[in-house]
Amino acid sequence: MTNLDVRILVVDDEPPIRKLLRVGLGSQGYAISEAPNAKAAIELMETERPDLILLDLGLPGMGGHELLRKWRDDGMDVPVVILSSRTDETGIVSALELGADDYVIKPFGMNELVARIRVALRHKFQQQGEKPVFHTGDLTIDLVKRIVTIEGREIKLSPKEYDILRILVQHAGKVLTHQFLLRQVWGDSTDVQYLRVYVRQLRQKIEKTPDQPRYITTETGVGYRLREVD
């Protein structure tokens, strides 16, 4: 699928933002539809099927969270990338837990936004199932043999460290919330400090400079993201 085949629905009540996205994404070859509020977005979704939605959380009337909840409850599986203010970490986490695929912070750079869009679309259109071997930089994870190597040197991980890394690999490039990772690895909402401890240990083993991680990056107040395949 090329950019020319992709339609993006922009749901934002600010005309300057919609214009920025219309011009910027249009220059990348994306087809753009616009809705200034939830009501218009719902009506538009009845007549066309976008491939991805850019959703502002601060909509008038029905807010972005409520609209996202309605769409996901209705079974809508179109990827959603959240547009949010820098100070709204709680809102971002809530949106991700409701089923958003990613987020960008206003003001955002067009290159960053396009990268997030490509990741979300790739996860949508890729074939189901994990690739047996994952590569990024000098890091290699063999998901069949459960072997992790850095520059060809095998790294020994604890079962929990490997489970965290495996979940990150399954969603490479996407931000995963603390609570999502806790549920996937521990099965319930364990104290997030457990997760931080294990991620710190994991970084000590796979990062050349653990305090400046190259592979597992922190999304402040939200969760973690694994660097995408090169």
Side-chain angles (χ1 to χ4, degrees):
M1 174 171 285
T2 66
N3 290 1
L4 293 174
D5 300 316
V6 175
R7 176 165 293 278
I8 296 175
L9 170 59
V10 176
V11 187
D12 196 298
D13 65 322
E14 299 182 58
I17 295 293
R18 295 202 305 274
K19 180 179 179 180
L20 171 68
L21 294 171
R22 181 172 65 250
V23 174
L25 295 177
S27 69
Q28 297 286 327
Y30 295 105
I32 306 298
S33 298
E34 301 175 35
N37 52 52
K39 182 176 182 294
I42 291 170
E43 292 174 350
L44 193 148
M45 288 289 287
E46 294 176 354
T47 59
E48 64 178 61
R49 183 74 168 180
D51 298 295
L52 181 137
I53 298 169
L54 295 177
L55 177 62
D56 178 31
L57 292 180
L59 296 174
M62 178 188 288
H65 288 97
E66 189 177 353
L67 178 58
L68 178 58
R69 181 182 291 108
K70 169 181 167 49
W71 276 337
R72 292 310 191 212
D73 287 347
D74 290 344
M76 191 272 287
D77 61 355
V78 176
V80 175
V81 175
I82 295 298
L83 306 177
S84 179
S85 66
R86 185 171 300 279
T87 58
D88 192 20
E89 291 176 0
T90 300
I92 291 169
V93 172
S94 297
L96 291 169
E97 291 292 320
L98 284 170
D101 293 80
D102 212 330
Y103 72 97
V104 291
I105 298 294
K106 297 179 180 178
F108 49 80
M110 193 56 61
N111 289 340
E112 177 191 7
L113 177 59
V114 169
R116 297 284 184 260
I117 288 171
R118 287 175 177 166
V119 169
L121 289 172
R122 185 155 48 249
H123 279 272
K124 170 64 177 176
F125 293 115
Q126 71 184 359
Q127 294 182 345
Q128 294 299 311
E130 303 172 5
K131 293 182 179 180
V133 180
F134 174 89
H135 299 279
T136 181
D138 296 323
L139 175 65
T140 301
I141 302 100
D142 187 320
L143 295 166
V144 176
K145 297 179 181 179
R146 296 173 65 93
I147 295 175
V148 179
T149 61
I150 291 287
E151 298 180 329
R153 176 173 54 88
E154 185 173 349
I155 304 298
K156 297 297 184 182
L157 302 181
S158 72
K160 282 289 187 288
E161 290 168 352
Y162 179 81
D163 286 344
I164 293 169
L165 185 58
R166 177 177 56 81
I167 298 299
L168 287 166
V169 166
Q170 290 172 344
H171 302 275
K174 294 179 64 175
V175 59
L176 303 182
T177 67
H178 298 124
Q179 292 304 318
F180 177 85
L181 285 165
L182 287 169
R183 287 195 301 269
Q184 293 294 311
V185 177
W186 279 273
D188 56 22
S189 295
T190 308
D191 188 336
V192 71
Q193 188 58 31
Y194 284 104
L195 177 61
R196 293 192 177 109
V197 168
Y198 278 99
V199 169
R200 187 181 307 120
Q201 292 173 178
L202 187 53
R203 282 172 169 163
Q204 291 289 339
K205 295 180 179 181
I206 69 171
E207 302 280 3
K208 287 186 177 180
T209 310
D211 292 339
Q212 297 177 317
R214 180 186 181 194
Y215 299 117
I216 302 176
T217 58
T218 298
E219 299 286 322
T220 304
V222 178
Y224 299 99
R225 189 192 302 267
L226 180 68
R227 171 180 165 177
E228 257 204 294
V229 179
D230 294 326

